[in-house]
Amino acid sequence: MVNPSFFIACLLFIALNAIVQGVVAAKDKVPVEILKGINDLDKVILRNFRGSSVEVYLYGAQVLSWKNEHGEELLFVSSEANFEPPKPIRGGIPLCFPQFSNLGSLAAHGFARNRFWSIDASSHPFLANSSRTHVDLLLKPTEEDMKIWPHSFEFRLRVTLRPAGDLMLTSHIRNTNTDGKPFNFTFAYHTYFAVSDISQVRVDGLETLDYLDNQQNRTRFTEKEDTITIESEVDRVYLTTPTKIAILDHEKKRTFVIRKYGLPDAVVWNPWEKKSKTIADLGDDDYKRMVCVEAAAIENPITLKPGEEWRGRVEFCAVPKLLQWAA
Ligand code: BG6
């Protein structure tokens, strides 16, 4: 017969031990950490106490991982991605700035995605409280950059992992020209969402809108479908969309909710089978596991006078069920 007080003492010991182990484990996972990533490139990891995490590389200020509390990856990175500057990295969230696609004289999607950013010394990521972690990254042009785009600017990107596991990116772009000149730019958060199978995916919130079809010289069409399914190559800029867009993954029973501010347009891109084979850093079958829905400012470029600042924010939430959607 076991002595009841001994039994209670054992239970108390086990419970206390579990609490101590939990605290130690939580402390082990510091909310903001700088580590070496693939090919020794610096990356910042944000973690919250529920177990969600975000990884952002200083090269391109590119978020390349966003995991939910179960450790499931929510962003797609190509199986053939190059982590070799100055090449861009295919996957995650490349930043298109100061030019979207080939809408200007720069290389496609501008140069922000293949520059080394710094951690903004004026912010204090390591003092972030445990309920909301963030890091601020900064890009200023070099003399070489100013030869191809003759403007001085400061681009601050705040990457925030919220307590519930949502990911938020806020861009602040300021014109710091001293010659009195304004500048124009186009912009996109070129987000590659991970999906189970592209045939099981639909995009809601873009119905009845006008779009420019990049496959047809940006001819303008009106969306006729109630929901967007992807069954062949799609490369469209939907114009002046609602704030909220949803990606429903029927196989995974997951809904990505995208909320965007200061970013009127939204690109939907999937290269499908034939085009994928022409993209060296994309695996032949990768198109089945990704869809890009990109919060953007494309149709009307943003103009900033010296001293002016623009802000564009996007919030992503991954809900573990299929939401009935109403924009
Ligand atoms: C999309 C464009 O945003 O990015 C497509 O609409 C383009 O036209 C795609 O092909 C990928 O661009 P890149 O430069 O990363 O190969």
Side-chain angles (χ1 to χ4, degrees), residues 16 134 235 278 288 311:
L16 261 174
H134 68 257
D235 190 355
T278 69
K288 294 178 184 165
R311 195 172 82 138

Side-chain angles (χ1 to χ4, degrees), residues 52 60 71 80 91 126 170 205 215 217 225 261 274 282 286 289:
S52 301
E80 302 290 328
F126 303 100
T170 310
Q215 292 174 269
N217 292 321
E225 304 296 331
Y261 305 91
K274 192 166 158 222
L282 193 64
D286 280 356
R289 301 187 294 112

Side-chain angles (χ1 to χ4, degrees), residues 38-168:
I38 297 171
N39 278 354
D40 246 13
L41 295 171
D42 291 319
K43 66 179 180 183
V44 179
I45 303 189
L46 307 177
R47 296 188 184 92
N48 73 12
F49 273 77
R50 289 188 175 185
S52 301
S53 65
V54 169
E55 293 189 12
V56 52
Y57 275 62
L58 297 195
Y59 178 58
Q62 192 159 332
V63 174
L64 280 161
S65 171
W66 170 38
K67 288 184 180 160
N68 65 15
E69 62 203 67
H70 307 296
E72 293 168 324
E73 183 56 69
L74 303 168
L75 296 176
F76 163 89
V77 175
S78 166
S79 57
E80 302 290 328
N82 292 306
F83 287 74
E84 291 160 9
K87 292 178 185 164
I89 303 171
R90 186 163 308 278
I93 314 179
L95 299 170
C96 304
F97 172 83
Q99 173 189 302
F100 175 75
S101 185
N102 58 359
L103 291 170
S105 57
L106 299 172
H109 292 329
F111 53 76
R113 66 174 173 169
N114 52 12
R115 293 293 181 272
F116 284 94
W117 292 53
S118 56
I119 293 178
D120 185 358
S122 61
S123 89
H124 302 283
F126 303 100
L127 299 180
N129 67 40
S130 56
S131 65
R132 185 176 164 131
T133 45
H134 68 257
V135 63
D136 289 332
L137 303 177
L138 176 64
L139 181 70
K140 292 183 189 180
T142 61
E143 280 180 18
E144 287 304 302
D145 294 334
M146 290 185 67
K147 285 181 190 157
I148 55 168
W149 201 66
H151 299 292
S152 179
F153 66 87
E154 283 179 7
F155 184 163
R156 286 190 162 73
L157 175 77
R158 173 165 289 193
V159 181
T160 304
L161 177 62
R162 287 176 152 173
D166 300 353
L167 169 62
M168 185 166 94

